[in-house]
Amino acid sequence: MAQAARGRTTPKTSTASGQGPADRPTELPTPPWRRRTRPVRQPLSQATIVDAALRILDSHGLDAVSMRRVAEELNTGPASLYVYVSGKEELLELVLDRVLGTVDVPEPVAGEWEDQIKGVVRDARDALASHGDLARASLAVIAAGPNALVISEGLLTILRAARIPDQACAWILDVLMLYLSADAYETALYRSRAENGEDPAAMAQAYLDEVIAALPRERFPSLVALKPHMVGGDRDARFEFALDILISGLGVVAGRAAAD
């Protein structure tokens, strides 16, 4: 029995070829018929679908984003996406909310509400404009995702802390979102053309300058007199001017409410 036990526990150290187990290769190449010819699929989730849609948007623009194109990006079929997203409209809402999640909203600081509101609007505008023509989607859908709601709540909190009347708070929120979306979309168009070697802002100003210069002064005295201002100023300066008008108007509304 002892000899049999020893026989079971003693490994073979040689083979017919004289090569022991320790000398055999531990890794062999995978046979061709077992090699994977398709890329490994990512585990699907709402987050991975939004990631894929954002990649397509950044590379090819908003019109290229579709359920079929996203499915191709993820090496799956369109039907599998509908478990997580109801359709393109919801997908765009999710992409928009993902981008808005990069915008920070500060806590109210006494006497600084104007600068705080302007800062949030600037950051939201830059976030949208940094992703091609995503701002076009913000004009077509209601931004009511978790991140959009956080921004809205933060802006309203700052405004109410500054004693802006409630109706003015509610309506200016809509105006600010509409303004920054429109400006971000226009900015994205300018940037896309600039990438092709064009300067769309300079081209537009040169065209307007040419048109006004050809007008008869006696019929269009104001346009001719203001031509230098009509064609002057860059996009950021014009954006800040309009933002100043909006915020200053809120201050006037607050002053009237306090006087009543």
Side-chain angles (χ1 to χ4, degrees):
M1 293 293 291
Q3 185 177 5
R6 286 196 297 273
R8 285 197 299 271
T9 57
T10 303
K12 288 185 176 182
T13 58
S14 64
T15 64
S17 63
Q19 186 180 50
D23 299 321
R24 295 174 184 169
T26 57
E27 295 184 4
L28 295 174
T30 303
W33 59 87
R34 292 183 183 173
R35 293 173 186 167
R36 184 180 296 276
T37 57
R38 295 181 179 180
V40 179
R41 292 182 180 180
Q42 299 182 51
L44 282 183
S45 67
Q46 193 175 84
T48 59
I49 293 171
V50 172
D51 288 341
L54 194 53
R55 288 196 298 272
I56 295 169
L57 171 69
D58 288 342
S59 299
H60 306 289
L62 185 65
D63 289 334
V65 180
S66 67
M67 298 295 280
R68 181 175 298 277
R69 181 67 184 82
V70 171
E72 292 174 357
E73 179 79 9
L74 295 172
N75 301 307
T76 187
S80 61
L81 304 185
Y82 288 94
V83 177
Y84 306 93
V85 181
S86 63
K88 181 177 178 178
E89 183 176 351
E90 183 184 6
L91 177 59
L92 292 180
E93 291 174 359
L94 292 170
V95 171
L96 177 61
D97 201 62
R98 168 72 66 80
V99 172
L100 290 177
T102 63
V103 179
D104 292 326
V105 184
E107 293 294 325
V109 176
E112 297 184 13
W113 71 272
E114 294 185 7
D115 289 337
Q116 288 188 309
I117 295 294
K118 289 179 182 179
V120 174
V121 173
R122 289 189 198 105
D123 290 348
R125 170 217 190 196
D126 292 344
L128 292 179
S130 67
H131 291 281
D133 54 348
L134 175 62
R136 181 153 56 92
S138 70
L139 294 168
V141 302
I142 298 176
N147 293 321
L149 292 176
V150 167
I151 294 174
S152 296
E153 175 67 20
L155 288 174
L156 291 174
T157 300
I158 293 171
L159 292 170
R160 298 187 77 193
R163 299 186 180 279
I164 305 297
D166 285 350
Q167 185 181 72
C169 289
W171 288 2
I172 196 62
L173 181 66
D174 182 53
V175 172
L176 289 172
M177 292 302 180
L178 181 62
Y179 175 60
L180 73 87
S181 295
D183 188 88
Y185 177 44
E186 189 176 46
T187 298
L189 292 178
Y190 274 52
R191 286 179 179 174
S192 66
R193 293 173 183 172
E195 291 174 358
N196 297 324
E198 301 177 0
D199 185 345
M203 292 172 63
Q205 289 179 337
Y207 173 74
L208 185 59
D209 184 272
E210 184 178 349
V211 169
I212 297 176
L215 295 175
R217 179 181 294 272
E218 64 277 6
R219 186 173 178 184
F220 300 95
S222 294
L223 279 172
V224 173
L226 298 179
K227 182 170 71 73
H229 303 291
M230 298 284 290
V231 300
D234 60 22
R235 290 190 50 75
D236 287 337
R238 290 170 177 261
F239 178 83
E240 291 296 328
F241 172 78
L243 197 54
D244 279 339
I245 296 297
L246 292 172
I247 300 304
S248 297
L250 268 183
V252 172
V253 171
R256 289 174 181 170
D260 290 342

